[in-house]
Amino acid sequence: MNNIPEVIRTIPLDYYLFFSAALFVIGVIGVLTRRNAIVIFMCIELMLNAVNLLLTALSAYRADASAQVFVFFIMAVAAAEVCVGLAIIVMTYRNIRSTDVQLLNYLKW
C-alpha cells in the first residue's frame, strides 16, 4: 500500500469498481432497449469508457503502467470505431431516411 500515491488512496478501489459497473450496466441496458442507431452507438462508447476507467483505476492502485498503455490502444480502436460507425449511420440515413435499427431489416436480401 505504500507505493500507491496519496491522491489515488483518497478514493477506495471499491468506488471505482461500482462506478465502472454502473456505467457498463447503463450501456448494456441502452444497447438492448434503444432503437436509434446513434443512441446505441453512444451506449457502446459508454461501455468502452467504463472498461477504460476500471483498467486505469486498477493500474493506478497496482502502480503499474501496463494497463494504462492498454487503455491508450482501446481509445485508438474506439476512435476508429467512431469513424466507421458514423459513416455507416450516415449512409443508412441517406438510404432509408431514418436511424431506426428496426428499419435495417429492409436492407436484407
Side-chain angles (χ1 to χ4, degrees):
M1 274 310 268
N2 292 334
N3 58 355
I4 300 172
E6 182 65 33
V7 175
I8 302 298
R9 276 189 273 161
T10 57
I11 301 175
L13 184 61
D14 295 342
Y15 291 176
Y16 288 110
L17 293 172
F18 293 140
F19 183 61
S20 179
L23 284 178
F24 194 82
V25 168
I26 290 170
V28 168
I29 290 171
V31 167
L32 295 177
T33 60
R34 298 296 179 163
R35 291 176 33 179
N36 189 348
I38 296 173
V39 174
I40 291 172
F41 193 63
M42 287 172 36
C43 290
I44 291 171
E45 292 295 322
L46 186 65
M47 289 188 294
L48 281 174
N49 284 332
V51 172
N52 284 341
L53 173 70
L54 185 60
L55 279 173
T56 305
L58 290 174
S59 174
Y61 267 85
R62 292 192 55 163
D64 184 21
S66 62
Q68 292 177 1
V69 172
F70 190 62
V71 165
F72 176 74
F73 286 115
I74 291 174
M75 291 174 76
V77 169
E81 175 198 0
V82 166
C83 294
V84 172
L86 285 178
I88 291 171
I89 290 171
V90 167
M91 291 307 294
T92 55
Y93 182 78
R94 285 184 184 175
N95 288 335
I96 59 176
R97 296 284 182 221
S98 177
T99 58
D100 189 6
V101 292
Q102 296 294 329
L103 295 176
L104 294 178
N105 288 330
Y106 296 126
L107 297 177
K108 292 181 181 178
W109 286 91

